[in-house]
Amino acid sequence: MTTVDDQRIAALLRSVSVPEPRVDVSRAVRDGRRRRQRRRVAGVAALTVLAGVGVVGAVQVGGTANSPAPTTPALAVSPAATGSAAPRPPVTCQASWLSQPIDGPVAVAVGVDPTGRYVVGDIGTGQEDGRVVLWTDGRPVVLPKTARHAAAVNASGHVVGTDGDGTGWVYRDGKLRPLATPPGFDAVLVHAVNARGDIVGTARRSDDSHQAVRWSTAQPQTYRLIGQRGSTATGITDDGTIVGELDQQPYRWTPQGVGAALAVPEGYPRASVESARGEWAIGMVPGGSNGGAVQMLPVRWNLTTAAVSLLPFPGASGISAEGEVLIGDGAPLIVAPDGTSRRLPGRPEVRATEPGTYTAEGISDDGLTVVGAVYENQAYRPLVWRCGR
Amino acid sequence: MVDAEGEFVEYVSARLPRLHRTAFLMCGDAHLADDVVQQTITSLYVNWRRVSRADNVDAYVHRMLVHKLVDEKRLSWAKVRLLGSAPVPERSPATPHDDLAERDSLLAALARLPRGQRTVLVLRFLCDLSLADTAAAMGCSEGNVKAQTARALAAVRQVLDVAEMSARSPR
């Protein structure tokens, strides 16, 4: 890379025409004043926050409502359903910090295994030493330096991920081993691992053509291509059902490799699939556009009944085996298939209250363990929520 | 209090276009850019008394903006940062009014980049963030930032060179 190139690109970025900002400074002052008042309330009401249904939780919903409202579909399930009477016993949750075996301003939990026992995360200082961490019953182990960017962990504590150069890896019983990149492909992106040790991901060529792949934790050097050219695999359930896409349409494959399309919600051109647990899968559709902007909306499939439903939330991070969807953006929220929802509580010592202070990235099969991070004072700290009925 | 508010309004009004440009070039979505900038300046108002005493207010505000965007996009980034397979709008929502071919091509090239790559380009070349700051802002390693920058530059350069060649060639 030459300096001239850099300067030319910098100059172009500064001069290229962009749409007029539609930002309201006086609204910022108004909203900001209100938020300052709430912050005072939040300090006093730490106990309410722990209960998870208090004033502060509700305030955070209000904050995320800044995102484009017109694209929210009119559905039976809505954020207003929060707190509506559920027939099941109430769930109480407690947030606690995950220990940090190494220092770093960006320390996040990115996934949890279906049992809730294993948590995988990433701790980086922004230097060349960002590391993958595996917490077992809360005890952290730092993976070898060459393991980067963990994608998932299974109930045996086997971790899979993809290096920066596009090589897959599996960490099992203390050993790190590379996954084979199928011949003719340049890179892979690993997404998921199930209880049997089946690993799925997508292999790519430099011309961006791609195909879904399955490996196993026991034999990382063997692989099987799934489907056909143009397929991707993003999730696998414990019975070996693979979900992903074929030519940008949602798709599933039986454990024997027989493919079938998944339904796209009516009125939408396409959908992506992000992950699957039990008989459920989640993904996204391009929502309504407003002034050319497209908002992605979360979608949930029931793989048994083939039913598909849209969820009126800004984005989904994960799904439990019981079909509970984890809404990780803004203030973390869990939405059950019947439309009831529960908000996850904060930590009393966290003062920041703006949307995005808490992020949730993974949920266990019973929906009772959730992992994520808190962003405050320019640093991320890893967090686990443990819930009980 | 009123003075602090006046200071805030003056500061934000002056920086708004630049903040919005940064947000737009990073996400390619005018609406999301508006939303993220609105959130950023609201948080800025809440913390104004503390922030306005900082040595480098601009740098601070910048980090706030980047983190808001990262928060918005965290999930998608975690999944697309290496190869970019998450669904993105097929066309760039921006309609460039500029008639310079090169500028059009740059927007088109940005729109085709995976989100991680366009973010590193904007952070490093528009916002002048260091390798370390970019990595910290995106929650990934410096190596990943380097790799993505290299890939993004290669893609953008290719588009720009093609545009340049066709502009130079006799017609």
Side-chain angles (χ1 to χ4, degrees):
Chain A
M1 147 189 1
T2 68
T3 315
V4 176
D5 266 347
D6 294 359
Q7 285 170 356
R8 177 164 149 228
I9 287 168
L12 279 170
L13 286 170
R14 278 192 291 271
S15 64
V16 68
S17 72
V18 298
E20 281 296 304
R22 280 174 299 180
V23 174
D24 187 340
V25 178
S26 58
R27 200 183 99 203
V29 171
R30 272 198 318 276
D31 291 352
R33 271 193 205 136
R34 239 176 284 142
R35 198 177 295 168
R36 267 189 193 160
Q37 281 165 0
R38 283 174 202 142
R39 192 153 67 170
R40 271 176 234 129
V41 173
V44 179
L47 280 175
T48 320
V49 180
L50 264 178
V53 288
V55 178
V56 178
V59 163
Q60 290 178 342
V61 177
T64 52
N66 284 342
S67 49
T71 54
T72 304
L75 288 185
V77 184
S78 81
T82 307
S84 64
R88 312 175 76 179
V91 173
T92 50
C93 303
Q94 190 119 24
S96 49
W97 300 114
L98 283 162
S99 59
Q100 292 185 47
I102 49 176
D103 285 334
V106 181
V108 296
V110 297
V112 60
D113 87 287
T115 68
R117 185 179 180 207
Y118 298 99
V119 177
V120 70
D122 220 75
I123 301 185
T125 62
Q127 305 300 319
E128 198 49 26
D129 53 2
R131 301 288 290 268
V132 172
V133 178
L134 173 65
W135 287 271
T136 306
D137 298 321
R139 283 188 312 275
V141 168
V142 182
L143 267 57
K145 215 179 263 178
T146 43
R148 311 298 291 272
H149 312 301
V153 57
N154 72 3
S156 308
H158 302 162
V159 187
V160 297
T162 317
D163 286 345
D165 65 357
T167 304
W169 53 263
V170 54
Y171 176 80
R172 180 183 164 161
D173 305 327
K175 284 202 197 79
L176 182 74
R177 296 157 82 187
L179 297 176
T181 296
F185 290 88
D186 301 302
V188 302
L189 185 55
V190 177
H191 277 293
V193 57
N194 70 3
R196 303 197 308 205
D198 300 323
I199 304 168
V200 290
T202 306
R204 253 166 230 275
R205 299 186 182 86
S206 53
D207 65 1
D208 213 37
S209 63
H210 49 85
Q211 189 162 354
V213 192
R214 183 178 68 203
W215 299 265
S216 84
T217 55
Q219 293 177 304
Q221 279 305 307
T222 62
Y223 62 89
R224 177 183 288 256
L225 292 171
I226 305 292
Q228 61 206 75
R229 199 178 157 118
S231 58
T232 67
T234 47
I236 183 163
T237 65
D238 287 344
D239 75 2
T241 299
I242 295 172
V243 296
E245 285 156 48
L246 182 62
D247 298 329
Q248 296 211 334
Q249 295 300 330
Y251 218 77
R252 63 186 286 184
W253 288 269
T254 66
Q256 291 73 37
V258 179
L262 285 169
V264 176
E266 212 180 313
Y268 292 88
R270 62 199 156 86
S272 67
V273 186
E274 308 237 320
S275 62
R277 289 304 308 161
E279 57 173 13
W280 301 93
I282 50 165
M284 303 213 275
V285 291
S289 74
N290 186 349
V294 175
Q295 193 195 10
M296 304 306 291
L297 296 169
V299 177
R300 172 173 51 202
W301 286 271
N302 182 306
L303 297 173
T304 307
T305 66
V308 58
S309 52
L310 272 176
L311 302 168
F313 295 97
S317 304
I319 188 156
S320 77
E322 300 182 5
E324 293 171 301
V325 174
L326 175 64
I327 309 296
D329 277 7
L333 183 72
I334 293 173
V335 184
D338 65 4
T340 57
S341 62
R342 54 191 168 94
R343 191 164 292 295
L344 294 170
R347 285 286 309 172
E349 68 271 36
V350 172
R351 291 297 179 81
T353 57
E354 54 259 30
T357 298
Y358 292 89
T359 49
E361 303 272 344
I363 184 167
S364 64
D365 266 5
D366 59 10
L368 297 179
T369 304
V370 174
V371 300
V374 168
Y375 174 67
E376 190 183 38
N377 301 326
Q378 288 127 58
Y380 285 93
R381 285 182 69 183
L383 192 72
V384 59
W385 285 271
R386 303 265 182 206
C387 309
R389 284 200 168 91
Chain B
M1 189 65 209
V2 172
D3 281 354
E5 220 163 271
E7 256 178 47
F8 168 81
V9 171
E10 191 182 329
Y11 173 85
V12 167
S13 305
R15 300 307 196 284
L16 213 50
R18 181 62 176 265
L19 282 173
H20 189 262
R21 169 178 295 271
T22 302
F24 174 76
L25 289 176
M26 273 202 275
C27 66
D29 177 330
H31 200 88
L32 180 60
D34 285 337
D35 199 43
V36 166
V37 172
Q38 184 78 44
Q39 285 183 37
T40 301
I41 64 173
T42 305
S43 301
L44 181 63
Y45 176 84
V46 175
N47 299 300
W48 179 246
R49 250 186 286 186
R50 184 166 49 84
V51 177
S52 59
R53 287 198 298 265
D55 287 342
N56 188 344
V57 179
D58 285 345
Y60 189 93
V61 174
H62 225 114
R63 277 200 301 275
M64 283 173 72
L65 177 76
V66 169
H67 284 299
K68 294 268 185 233
L69 256 177
V70 170
D71 289 343
E72 286 284 329
K73 294 293 172 195
R74 196 161 231 307
L75 167 68
S76 344
W77 271 351
K79 300 219 163 115
V80 304
R81 62 185 171 198
L82 291 166
L83 294 164
S85 64
V88 287
E90 267 149 23
R91 283 179 299 278
S92 164
T95 316
H97 301 296
D98 207 295
D99 52 10
L100 285 176
E102 198 177 49
R103 291 186 188 175
D104 281 1
S105 327
L106 179 76
L107 275 189
L110 278 180
R112 278 202 292 273
L113 289 182
R115 197 173 278 134
Q117 291 185 21
R118 71 188 284 165
T119 304
V120 294
L121 271 195
V122 175
L123 289 182
R124 300 215 48 212
F125 295 115
L126 178 65
C127 308
D128 282 331
L129 289 196
S130 69
L131 202 59
D133 287 347
T134 307
M138 293 180 64
C140 65
S141 70
E142 277 192 30
N144 193 342
V145 171
K146 273 189 214 161
Q148 299 214 56
T149 308
R151 265 181 246 158
L153 279 175
V156 168
R157 216 179 282 135
Q158 200 179 12
V159 172
L160 295 185
D161 286 348
V162 170
E164 202 166 77
M165 268 153 53
S166 56
R168 273 189 206 144
S169 65
R171 56 210 85 179

